[in-house]
Amino acid sequence: MGCCSGRCTLIFICTLQLVLALERQVFDFLGYQWAPILANFFHIIMVILGLFGTIQYRPRYIVVYIVWAALWVAWNVFIICFYLDVGGLSKESDLLTFNISAHRSWWGEHGPGCVRSETQHVAGVQTAADGHSYVTVMGCLAEYQYIEVAHGGLQILSALLGFVYACYVVSAITEEEDSFDFIGGFDPFPLYHVNEKPSNLLLKPMYPST
């Protein structure tokens, strides 16, 4: 396949997915979102596997990437529903942190235009003794749930593109292997097939005449 083929396009898509996954992983770490952190980790591994399979012409690895791409789309649909409070889900729950912390998305306090202020007391009640503080965020240009939804949408779009091109690359590689087998590509002696004809010459012993 040439440089402008679906294989090179798939390599570009996998590289883009790695960049997007690493960017998302950084912000999920900052927000202590443990479930997305684990999902991003597996996603990075599977994308690298698909990238390796594409470069090395390994269709089995690409098939694994295809299956994962479908699962990744489903996961990001769940994330979008979670932040939009769809289907009984609530963005205020601790589901993404495995209920071990009350952290929310990093974008909730550090989104574009957000002004964050932290106080140690509310309504005259001192809270410094118990180590708690109250955070107020104002002036955000976009609410954090819509930023997370945008991230999920980018992940879905890139995964769908990768799914389509990966299916095409697997089909192309399989066709090439089939045609290679058809012309004798795996014959141990492909260049030595000649028409053998029985020789009409008989070797007879020659005796000197007397």
Side-chain angles (χ1 to χ4, degrees):
M1 288 181 277
C3 183
C4 295
S5 64
R7 176 171 167 267
C8 289
T9 304
L10 182 57
I11 291 175
F12 171 78
I13 293 174
C14 288
T15 304
L16 178 62
Q17 284 185 301
L18 284 178
V19 173
L20 293 175
L22 290 173
E23 179 265 345
R24 192 178 191 182
Q25 185 76 311
V26 169
F27 292 112
D28 285 337
F29 262 116
L30 292 175
Y32 301 97
Q33 304 295 293
W34 302 117
I37 287 171
L38 290 177
N40 293 334
F41 176 75
F42 285 112
H43 178 58
I44 291 172
I45 292 177
M46 292 301 174
V47 171
I48 292 175
L49 186 66
L51 185 61
F52 175 79
T54 305
I55 295 175
Q56 296 295 326
Y57 292 91
R58 303 290 181 87
R60 292 183 180 178
Y61 293 168
I62 304 177
V63 170
V64 175
Y65 166 80
I66 291 173
V67 175
W68 174 257
L71 295 176
W72 188 243
V73 169
W75 166 256
N76 282 278
V77 169
F78 165 77
I79 291 295
I80 291 175
C81 293
F82 176 82
Y83 282 106
L84 294 180
D85 299 334
V86 176
L89 299 172
S90 174
K91 61 180 176 292
E92 301 300 330
S93 68
D94 299 329
L95 183 62
L96 297 185
T97 60
F98 296 137
N99 295 321
I100 60 177
S101 68
H103 289 89
R104 298 292 181 266
S105 171
W106 182 84
W107 296 104
E109 299 178 7
H110 305 86
C114 292
V115 178
R116 181 177 182 271
S117 60
E118 184 174 341
T119 58
Q120 294 293 336
H121 60 87
V122 174
V125 178
Q126 186 68 27
T127 59
D130 55 11
H132 293 288
S133 61
Y134 292 87
V135 177
T136 303
V137 181
M138 301 176 60
C140 295
L141 298 179
E143 297 185 16
Y144 73 93
Q145 62 265 31
Y146 299 121
I147 298 177
E148 293 288 357
V149 168
H151 274 88
L154 284 176
Q155 294 291 336
I156 291 175
L157 178 61
S158 62
L160 289 176
L161 289 174
F163 181 90
V164 172
Y165 276 96
C167 291
Y168 168 76
V169 170
V170 169
S171 176
I173 293 177
T174 304
E175 288 180 1
E176 285 189 359
E177 289 180 349
D178 291 342
S179 62
F180 191 64
D181 291 340
F182 179 75
I183 63 175
F186 290 98
D187 195 324
F189 305 102
L191 301 178
Y192 301 98
H193 285 263
V194 295
N195 293 328
E196 297 180 357
K197 296 181 179 179
S199 176
N200 293 325
L201 298 177
L202 297 177
L203 297 179
K204 296 180 179 181
M206 297 180 64
Y207 300 97
S209 58
T210 54

